[in-house]
Amino acid sequence: MKVRWRRLGVGLKWGLLGLLVFSISVVTVLRWIDPPGSSFIGQAWIGGWIQGRDRPWVRHEWVPWGDIAPAVPLAVVAAEDQRFPEHLGFDRVELEKAWRNYRKTGRLRGASTLSQQVAKNLFLWGGRSIVRKGCEAWFTLLIELTWSKQRILEVYLNIAQFGPYTYGVGAASWRYFDRPPALLTEGEAALLAAVLPNPELYRLDAPSAYVHSRAAWVRKQMRQLGSGYLDGLALP
């Protein structure tokens, strides 16, 4: 019995080591190679297949950084993570706010950075389990250590969900504005960023008064940050 448990322990150790090496290798490779999709996009495909859809239903296309209007990444940072250029994947200020809010109300509020969202959307699954959050923290650390900030933003813009079965700024730009992402205006970029908290609820095809008001707030934040706020970021 002791031998069996010892072998099991050795097997688990080697298995864990293998997973660590594999995750490091994959993240490092994706520093230069564009991912064909993401875990969330794959889950959307599977979900549609289970529902019996008989045609391609997931919209997604990769768009390089240089083919995206500069207003788009600025709008996303203004809306989702204004300290993105400064932090190392975890925003201590937002985490402290979330903790104070939890102690006061008993409810958790979002404090995820763009780096954490990339880690989750690209590699993981939804939910708030300790296991998932632990994996998210690990992949966030790897991404921050191996990718540039601009690469993180580039991947985020290409895998974020902007509407039902619509992933990435390329697909969203054509679907909702009928133009390539390089030609998106500041107002359109703000609308895209405005739906990010919940693209299933906040719709770009029929923006609610709340979406328009949030987009106006995003535009105000963009102007406060300044058009050159992300100029210091560089691709590897």
Side-chain angles (χ1 to χ4, degrees), residues 209-232:
Y210 172 79
V211 170
H212 280 297
S213 66
R214 179 169 168 78
W217 176 83
V218 171
R219 294 183 71 175
K220 180 180 179 181
Q221 298 302 307
M222 292 168 67
R223 295 189 182 108
Q224 289 180 352
L225 292 177
S227 58
Y229 186 64
L230 301 179
D231 287 352

Side-chain angles (χ1 to χ4, degrees), residues 165-196:
Y165 296 104
T166 304
Y167 296 84
V169 65
S173 180
W174 282 111
R175 178 176 183 181
Y176 298 112
F177 304 111
D178 195 28
R179 67 184 66 193
L183 300 181
L184 289 171
T185 66
E186 178 186 289
E188 291 163 344
L191 277 171
L192 285 168
V195 304
L196 286 172

Side-chain angles (χ1 to χ4, degrees), residues 40-201:
F40 274 43
I41 293 174
Q43 292 170 54
W45 273 104
I46 294 171
W49 176 76
I50 292 174
Q51 294 172 18
R53 294 175 180 261
D54 57 0
R55 61 183 176 82
W57 56 87
V58 175
R59 304 185 188 203
H60 173 256
E61 67 174 88
W62 183 272
V63 181
W65 178 267
D67 293 335
I68 301 173
V72 179
L74 180 61
V76 168
V77 168
E80 295 286 293
D81 186 3
Q82 294 191 13
R83 281 178 285 274
F84 174 73
E86 306 166 6
H87 63 62
L88 296 177
F90 307 94
D91 189 337
R92 187 179 66 180
V93 174
E94 291 301 317
L95 288 172
E96 289 176 351
K97 288 181 180 178
W99 174 246
R100 288 196 298 268
N101 182 74
Y102 175 73
R103 293 187 64 181
K104 183 178 180 180
T105 66
R107 293 180 303 208
L108 288 172
R109 60 182 290 270
S112 293
T113 63
L114 292 178
S115 303
Q116 289 174 274
Q117 293 180 49
V118 168
K120 179 184 71 175
N121 293 352
L122 190 58
F123 299 111
L124 305 172
W125 61 94
R128 293 180 177 274
S129 70
I130 295 177
V131 172
R132 207 276 291 164
K133 293 300 288 184
C135 291
E136 178 187 298
W138 168 247
F139 277 108
T140 298
L141 181 62
L142 289 181
I143 287 170
E144 283 283 343
L145 290 175
T146 56
W147 298 3
S148 71
K149 286 288 188 176
Q150 193 178 101
R151 178 59 170 172
I152 296 172
L153 257 182
E154 182 184 37
V155 173
Y156 177 86
L157 291 171
N158 277 284
I159 65 173
Q161 183 179 4
F162 290 97
Y165 296 104
T166 304
Y167 296 84
V169 65
S173 180
W174 282 111
R175 178 176 183 181
Y176 298 112
F177 304 111
D178 195 28
R179 67 184 66 193
L183 300 181
L184 289 171
T185 66
E186 178 186 289
E188 291 163 344
L191 277 171
L192 285 168
V195 304
L196 286 172
N198 191 336
E200 295 285 351
L201 176 63

